[in-house]
C-alpha cells in the first residue's frame, strides 16, 4: 500500500499541471454502485472493499470517506497510512479540500468516473478558493495498477419478452414521447441497468449484476448501442437490427457525443422506419407512433442528460445551454414494474423462499449434530465443548456456499444478486460484512447468525435477510430483535396517501428502536430490479434527503429492512421485499388515493428470538397470518421433512 501511494504521488507531481490532490471515486464510467473487478480502483488503492466511498490522496495524507454502513469495516481494513472520514460526522470531501488544500490548488480526477452533479458542485466549491478541478490526462490509478485485469468479452444476452413484459419498440416509443415533452432531440443513457432495461438485454460484465458495459444514445429517429462488438453473437446482432438499434463500438460514444452536440449524429438506417424506431416529423412537430398521431408543440433542441448518472467527461463535450439536466425518464419507467415483471418477481420469491427454508432445515440439523446446539426451536446452551468437536466445521463461507446450492437447484436461477453477508456474532455487527474463506469465523451455537442474501432469476431478483440463533439468546438480544421486528411490521403494514416519499415512511421502522434508545446507520429500503440490479432507484426509504426525490407509486418494488448493530457483540437485520399497491382504506381524504404494501418474500421469523410480551395483538395477528401464507406458498416446493420443519417454525403465536 505504501508503494502504491508513493507511485501515485510521483505521478501527481509529474502531471501537467502538478496535482495537489487526487480524487479516486468508487464509481466506473457509468456511475455504477457495484463495479467490475477491473474498475475497483478505490479498493485497490485503499484496501477498503465496501461498495460506497471516496479516496483522496494529497502529498502527505490519504483519506477515505464512507457512510455509516461501513464505519466498522473501514476501521478494520484501512492501514495506518489512511484516515477514515465518517460521512455525516466529519466534513464532506469538498469542504475538507477547500479548507485544507492551498489556494490555487489543482485537484485531479478522472472525469469519466464522476457524475455531472458531483463535478459541478466541486467546481463551485473550489472556485471560492481559486482552486481548480483538473481532468487528468489519463486515469492515474491505472498507471500504477500493474496487475489490473483485462476487459472481458462476456456475451450480450437477449432478455425474452416473456420475462421483460414490454417490447423494445414500446419502450422506445414511450421514451421518445418523453423526449418531445422535455423539448429534447436526444438522450444520452449511461446507467448500465437503464441500457439493459431499454434494449431488453442482459450480461455478466459486473459480478452479481446482469448488465453489459454499454452506453446508449436515443434520438427522435435513431437508437444507438455502444458496446464491445465481440460481445454480440450473430443472434444478438440480428436482434439489434430487427429492433432498429445501431451498434457502435464502446469507445465511439465519446466522438458520437461530439457529433450529437452539433446535430451531425445520423445513420442511414435511421430513416427506414423500423418497428423499433417510430418517427418524429420535426417539421410539424407531430409524434408519429405505431398508432394514432399526437400533435405536440416543441422545440426539439435539447440533449437530455441525467446529472446523477452521466459522467462529467461526456457532459463536457456538450454545450451547457443545450442540455436538459434532469433525471433520466428511464429510472422511473424501470422502477414501475409491468404486470409480467410483478408476476415474475412473485414467482422468483416463491422459489427463493423455498431455498431459504431448505437452508434453515439443513443448518438446524448441522448445528445440532456438529455442535450439540439446542437448535432452531429449543433454548439451551451447546452440549458440546470445543474439545469434543470432531473434525467437521461450519464456517461463514461454507454455509453460505450451501445456501447458494439450494438456490442453484431452482428454476431460472442465474446466480446470486450480491455477495452473501453470512455473519456470526460480532461479525454480524458489520453491516455489509463479506466473509473470506481464509479468515472467516466458525459458526457458534451460542451466537446470533445473520445472513443477507439474494439471487438472480430470469423472472426476478431477490433480496432477503434473516437473523437466527441456534442456542439460547439473551434477554437483551430478544428485546433488540423484537424491536427490529416491530419496526419491520410497522413499515410493511403502512397505509399512506399518494405522493408520500420514502423519507416520510422511514421513521415507522425506527420508532420501536428509538423507544429503547436504539437506531441503525443505514436506510430502511431500496428498490429492486427485475432480473437486474439488486439496488435500484430512483425511490428508496431512508432518512437521507435523496429519499424525498421520488414518491412511492403503485407497482414499485422496495425492501423493508430495519436493523440494530452492537459493535463487538452482534447484529440484527430483517428484510423482505414489498410491492406498492392500492391501499384499501375506509375513507379517501382529499380524494388523494391511498397506498399500501404487499409482502412477496416468504420465510419464517424465528419464534425463539421474539419477546412476545413486547408485541401488541395486531402484530401477533399479522405474524400468524404471514406464517400461514409461508406454509401455503412454500409447501409445494418442499419435501416431507422440510414441510414438517416449516410447519413447526410457523406455528401460531398465542395472543
Amino acid at each position: 500500500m505504501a508503494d502504491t501511494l508513493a507511485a501515485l504521488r510521483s505521478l501527481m507531481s509529474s502531471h501537467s499541471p502538478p496535482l495537489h490532490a487526487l480524487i479516486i471515486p468508487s464509481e466506473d464510467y457509468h456511475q455504477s454502485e457495484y463495479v467490475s473487478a477491473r474498475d475497483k480502483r478505490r479498493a485497490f488503492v485503499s484496501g477498503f472493499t465496501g461498495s460506497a466511498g471516496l479516496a483522496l490522496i494529497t502529498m502527505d495524507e490519504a483519506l477515505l470517506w464512507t457512510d455509516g454502513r461501513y464505519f466498522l469495516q473501514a476501521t478494520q481494513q484501512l492501514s495506518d497510512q489512511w484516515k477514515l472520514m465518517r460521512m455525516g460526522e466529519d466534513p464532506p470531501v469538498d469542504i475538507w479540500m477547500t479548507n485544507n488544500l492551498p489556494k490555487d490548488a489543482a485537484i485531479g480526477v478522472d472525469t469519466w468516473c464522476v457524475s455531472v452533479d458531483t463535478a459541478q458542485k466541486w467546481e463551485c466549491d473550489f472556485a471560492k478558493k481559486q482552486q481548480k478541478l483538473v481532468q487528468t490526462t489519463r486515469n492515474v490509478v491505472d498507471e500504477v495498477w500493474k496487475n489490473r485485469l483485462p476487459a472481458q468479452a462476456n456475451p450480450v444476452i437477449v432478455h425474452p419478452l416473456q420475462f421483460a413484459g414490454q417490447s423494445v419498440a414500446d419502450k422506445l416509443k414511450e421514451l421518445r414521447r418523453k423526449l418531445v415533452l422535455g423539448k429534447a432531440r436526444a438522450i444520452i443513457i449511461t446507467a448500465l441497468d437503464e441500457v439493459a432495461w431499454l434494449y431488453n438485454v442482459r450480461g455478466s460484465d459486473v459480478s452479481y449484476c446482469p448488465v453489459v458495459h454499454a452506453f446508449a444514445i436515443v434520438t427522435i429517429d435513431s437508437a444507438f448501442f455502444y458496446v464491445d462488438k465481440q460481445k454480440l453473437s450473430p443472434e444478438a446482432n440480428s436482434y439489434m437490427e430487427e429492433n432498429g438499434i445501431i451498434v457502435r463500438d464502446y469507445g465511439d460514444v465519446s466522438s458520437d457525443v461530439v457529433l450529437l452536440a452539433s446535430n451531425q449524429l445520423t445513420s442511414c438506417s435511421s430513416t427506414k422506419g423500423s418497428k423499433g424506431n417510430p418517427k418524429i416529423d420535426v417539421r410539424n412537430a407531430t409524434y408519429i407512433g405505431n398508432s394514432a398521431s399526437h400533435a405536440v408543440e416543441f422545440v426539439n433542441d435539447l440533449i437530455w442528460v441525467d446529472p446523477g448518472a452521466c459522467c462529467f467527461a461526456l457532459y463536457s463535450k456538450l454545450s451547457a445551454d443545450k442540455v436538459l439536466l434532469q433525471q433520466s425518464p428511464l429510472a422511473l419507467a424501470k422502477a414501475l414494474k409491468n404486470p409480467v415483471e410483478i408476476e415474475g418477481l412473485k414467482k422468483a420469491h416463491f422459489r427463493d423462499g423455498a431455498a431459504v427454508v431448505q437452508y434453515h432445515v439443513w443448518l438446524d440439523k448441522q448445528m445440532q449434530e456438529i455442535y450439540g446446539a439446542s437448535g432452531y426451536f429449543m433454548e439451551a446452551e451447546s452440549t458440546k465443548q470445543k474439545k469434543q468437536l470432531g473434525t467437521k466445521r461450519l464456517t461463514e463461507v461454507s454455509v453460505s456456499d450451501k445456501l447458494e446450492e439450494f438456490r442453484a437447484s431452482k428454476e431460472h436461477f442465474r446466480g446470486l444478486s450480491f455477495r452473501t453477508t453470512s455473519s456470526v456474532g460480532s461479525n454480524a455487527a458489520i453491516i455489509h460484512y463479506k466473509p473470506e474463506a481464509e479468515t472467516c469465523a466458525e459458526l457458534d451455537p451460542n451466537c446470533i447468525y445473520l445472513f443477507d442474501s439474494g439471487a438472480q432469476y430470469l423472472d426476478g431478483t431477490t433480496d432477503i435477510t434473516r437473523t437466527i440463533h441456534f442456542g439460547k439468546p439473551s434477554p437483551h438480544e430478544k428485546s433488540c430483535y423484537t424491536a427490529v421486528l416491530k419496526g419491520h411490521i410497522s413499515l410493511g403494514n403502512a397505509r399512506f396517501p399518494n405522493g408520500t416519499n420514502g423519507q416520510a415512511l422511514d421513521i415507522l421502522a425506527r420508532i420501536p428502536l428509538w423507544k429503547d434508545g436504539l437506531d441503525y446507520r443505514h436506510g430502511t429500503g431500496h428498490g429492486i430490479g427485475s432480473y437486474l440490479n439488486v439496488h435500484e432507484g430512483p425511490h428508496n426509504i431512508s432518512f437521507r434527503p435523496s429519499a424525498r426525490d421520488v414518491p412511492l407509486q403503485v407497482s414499485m418494488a422496495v425492501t423493508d429492512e430495519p436493523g440494530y448493530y452492537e459493535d463487538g457483540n452482534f447484529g440484527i437485520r430483517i428484510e423482505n421485499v414489498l410491492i406498492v399497491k392500492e391501499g384499501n382504506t375506509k375513507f379517501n381524504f382529499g380524494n388523494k388515493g391511498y397506498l399500501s404494501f404487499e409482502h412477496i418474500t416468504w420465510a419464517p421469523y424465528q419464534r425463539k428470538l421474539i419477546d412476545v410480551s413486547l408485541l401488541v395483538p395486531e402484530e401477533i395477528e399479522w405474524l400468524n397470518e404471514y406464517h400461514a401464507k409461508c406454509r401455503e406458498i412454500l409447501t409445494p416446493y418442499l419435501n416431507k421433512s422440510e414441510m414438517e420443519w416449516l410447519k413447526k417454525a410457523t406455528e401460531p403465536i398465542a395472543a
Side-chain angles (χ1 to χ4, degrees):
M1 201 64 66
D3 291 344
T4 299
L5 289 174
L8 287 171
R9 286 173 174 139
S10 175
L11 290 174
M12 289 163 60
S13 296
S14 60
H15 191 275
S16 179
L19 302 176
H20 295 81
L22 177 67
I23 301 170
I24 306 169
S26 300
E27 292 77 16
D28 59 10
Y29 289 5
H30 305 268
Q31 307 309 299
S32 308
E33 176 186 9
Y34 297 111
V35 301
S36 66
R38 71 188 309 268
D39 289 324
K40 293 181 178 179
R41 298 177 176 90
R42 188 223 63 224
F44 164 72
V45 168
S46 67
F48 168 66
T49 59
S51 65
L54 179 146
L56 177 71
I57 298 172
T58 71
M59 285 303 170
D60 51 14
E61 288 189 89
L63 307 98
L64 180 122
W65 277 260
T66 192
D67 62 50
R69 295 172 297 169
Y70 295 109
F71 289 170
L72 185 55
Q73 179 179 338
T75 59
Q76 294 176 351
Q77 292 185 328
L78 293 175
S79 72
D80 56 9
Q81 295 176 305
W82 286 84
K83 180 180 180 181
L84 172 61
M85 304 295 285
R86 293 172 168 82
M87 290 180 177
E89 299 178 14
D90 294 318
V93 62
D94 48 342
I95 301 301
W96 188 94
M97 287 189 286
T98 56
N99 291 340
N100 291 273
L101 295 177
K103 184 179 178 180
D104 301 323
I107 302 163
V109 70
D110 181 350
T111 53
W112 283 90
C113 297
V114 63
S115 67
V116 176
D117 55 6
T118 298
Q120 288 183 333
K121 184 179 187 304
W122 287 346
E123 285 188 324
C124 182
D125 291 337
F126 297 165
K128 299 171 186 176
K129 292 285 186 72
Q130 290 80 53
Q131 297 167 335
K132 186 177 181 181
L133 185 67
V134 175
Q135 179 170 347
T136 56
T137 53
R138 60 199 181 281
N139 191 291
V140 180
V141 174
D142 293 351
E143 294 289 306
V144 303
W145 194 355
K146 300 304 181 186
N147 61 345
R148 183 177 178 233
L149 293 172
Q152 294 182 317
N154 300 313
V156 172
I157 306 297
V158 175
H159 192 48
L161 187 60
Q162 71 181 92
F163 299 118
Q166 187 180 13
S167 69
V168 175
D170 287 345
K171 290 179 179 180
L172 285 170
K173 179 181 177 181
E174 179 61 18
L175 175 57
R176 290 188 169 107
R177 186 184 70 82
K178 291 174 180 175
L179 291 182
V180 170
L181 293 176
K183 297 181 170 51
R185 59 182 172 87
I187 182 171
I188 301 170
I189 304 161
T190 58
L192 297 181
D193 59 340
E194 291 185 7
V195 175
W197 180 86
L198 177 64
Y199 290 156
N200 284 344
V201 295
R202 300 295 188 267
S204 56
D205 286 346
V206 179
S207 296
Y208 312 111
C209 303
V211 295
V212 181
H213 278 139
F215 295 95
I217 293 176
V218 175
T219 69
I220 292 302
D221 58 6
S222 299
F224 299 86
F225 183 46
Y226 297 87
V227 67
D228 179 352
K229 291 183 179 180
Q230 297 181 75
K231 297 179 180 181
L232 293 173
S233 65
E235 293 77 14
N237 270 313
S238 296
Y239 168 83
M240 294 295 165
E241 186 175 350
E242 289 168 7
N243 283 281
I245 301 167
I246 302 152
V247 179
R248 301 273 287 152
D249 283 320
Y250 182 80
D252 287 343
V253 68
S254 184
S255 57
D256 277 10
V257 167
V258 174
L259 292 174
L260 181 66
S262 58
N263 210 8
Q264 298 180 67
L265 181 61
T266 59
S267 170
C268 59
S269 63
S270 68
T271 62
K272 293 180 180 179
S274 71
K275 66 178 181 179
N277 287 319
K279 301 289 293 301
I280 293 285
D281 184 341
V282 177
R283 292 166 297 181
N284 59 17
T286 300
Y287 180 76
I288 304 174
N290 294 330
S291 57
S293 299
H294 303 279
V296 183
E297 293 184 4
F298 71 107
V299 179
N300 58 321
D301 198 33
L302 300 177
I303 298 171
W304 195 321
V305 167
D306 187 330
C310 182
C311 62
F312 194 60
L314 286 179
Y315 169 79
S316 300
K317 300 177 186 300
L318 303 171
S319 299
D321 61 342
K322 297 295 185 181
V323 174
L324 174 61
L325 274 179
Q326 191 169 297
Q327 185 175 73
S328 166
L330 297 182
L332 181 59
K334 175 168 51 65
L336 297 174
K337 308 304 183 201
N338 64 53
V340 171
E341 290 175 319
I342 290 176
E343 185 64 20
L345 278 168
K346 290 180 178 181
K347 289 181 177 178
H349 280 83
F350 291 170
R351 300 190 301 275
D352 200 68
V356 170
V357 168
Q358 290 169 327
Y359 178 58
H360 274 92
V361 175
W362 173 83
L363 189 54
D364 186 14
K365 182 180 180 182
Q366 295 293 308
M367 291 299 291
Q368 292 182 60
E369 290 181 352
I370 297 174
Y371 297 97
S374 57
Y376 187 89
F377 301 106
M378 304 295 290
E379 289 192 54
E381 300 288 344
S382 172
T383 59
K384 290 187 180 180
Q385 301 296 321
K386 288 248 179 184
K387 62 184 179 182
Q388 296 176 298
L389 295 176
T391 56
K392 188 174 182 181
R393 295 286 191 274
L394 298 178
T395 70
E396 293 166 327
V397 168
S398 69
V399 297
S400 67
D401 288 346
K402 188 66 178 181
L403 174 56
E404 183 174 358
E405 281 184 33
F406 285 118
R407 285 191 162 111
S409 69
K410 302 296 181 277
E411 185 182 19
H412 299 321
F413 177 81
R414 288 297 180 271
L416 301 182
S417 56
F418 57 98
R419 190 175 163 200
T420 300
T421 294
S422 174
S423 52
V424 176
S426 60
N427 288 341
I430 304 172
I431 296 170
H432 279 192
Y433 172 77
K434 305 300 178 189
E436 300 289 346
E438 301 79 14
T439 57
C440 69
E442 183 178 354
L443 265 64
D444 187 332
N446 298 314
C447 291
I448 272 179
Y449 172 63
L450 181 158
F451 65 100
D452 184 349
S453 64
Q456 296 286 4
Y457 302 94
L458 281 174
D459 50 355
T461 302
T462 69
D463 186 1
I464 177 174
T465 307
R466 288 296 183 264
T467 303
I468 53 182
H469 201 301
F470 292 102
K472 185 176 182 179
S474 69
H476 178 57
E477 289 171 332
K478 287 185 178 183
S479 174
C480 293
Y481 180 91
T482 307
V484 172
L485 177 62
K486 286 169 72 73
H488 174 78
I489 294 172
S490 177
L491 176 59
N493 286 343
R495 282 174 170 74
F496 48 94
N498 270 305
T500 302
N501 60 50
Q503 191 181 52
L505 295 176
D506 180 77
I507 190 175
L508 297 177
R510 297 181 192 270
I511 286 176
L513 288 155
W514 288 355
K515 285 181 178 178
D516 291 331
L518 307 177
D519 205 350
Y520 51 97
R521 288 192 177 105
H522 57 76
T524 303
H526 56 81
I528 191 165
S530 181
Y531 186 37
L532 268 176
N533 292 354
V534 73
H535 287 175
E536 180 178 271
H539 60 292
N540 64 94
I541 300 174
S542 176
F543 58 89
R544 296 185 177 91
S546 63
R548 294 197 300 257
D549 295 345
V550 177
L552 295 177
Q553 300 172 43
V554 170
S555 78
M556 283 180 168
V558 66
T559 61
D560 172 4
E561 50 179 312
Y564 173 66
Y565 313 89
E566 278 192 10
D567 291 357
N569 292 321
F570 63 86
I572 295 165
R573 184 162 64 254
I574 301 170
E575 177 184 19
N576 281 4
V577 174
L578 315 173
I579 298 289
V580 183
K581 64 177 185 176
E582 298 286 352
N584 182 22
T585 55
K586 184 177 180 180
F587 301 106
N588 184 16
F589 179 81
N591 204 32
K592 295 178 178 180
Y594 283 72
L595 305 177
S596 61
F597 294 117
E598 175 185 355
H599 286 258
I600 63 170
T601 299
W602 305 105
Y605 307 99
Q606 190 178 24
R607 169 68 177 82
K608 184 167 71 175
L609 273 169
I610 301 172
D611 184 343
V612 178
S613 70
L614 298 177
L615 300 179
V616 298
E618 293 80 8
E619 292 166 336
I620 294 174
E621 180 183 3
W622 183 86
L623 273 173
N624 288 338
E625 289 177 356
Y626 176 83
H627 280 154
K629 288 181 181 178
C630 282
R631 291 194 300 274
E632 176 187 347
I633 288 169
L634 301 181
T635 293
Y637 299 89
L638 306 174
N639 64 31
K640 186 176 180 181
S641 63
E642 292 162 350
M643 287 164 50
E644 288 299 316
W645 186 97
L646 179 61
K647 182 178 178 181
K648 188 173 182 180
T650 57
E651 287 178 350
I653 299 171

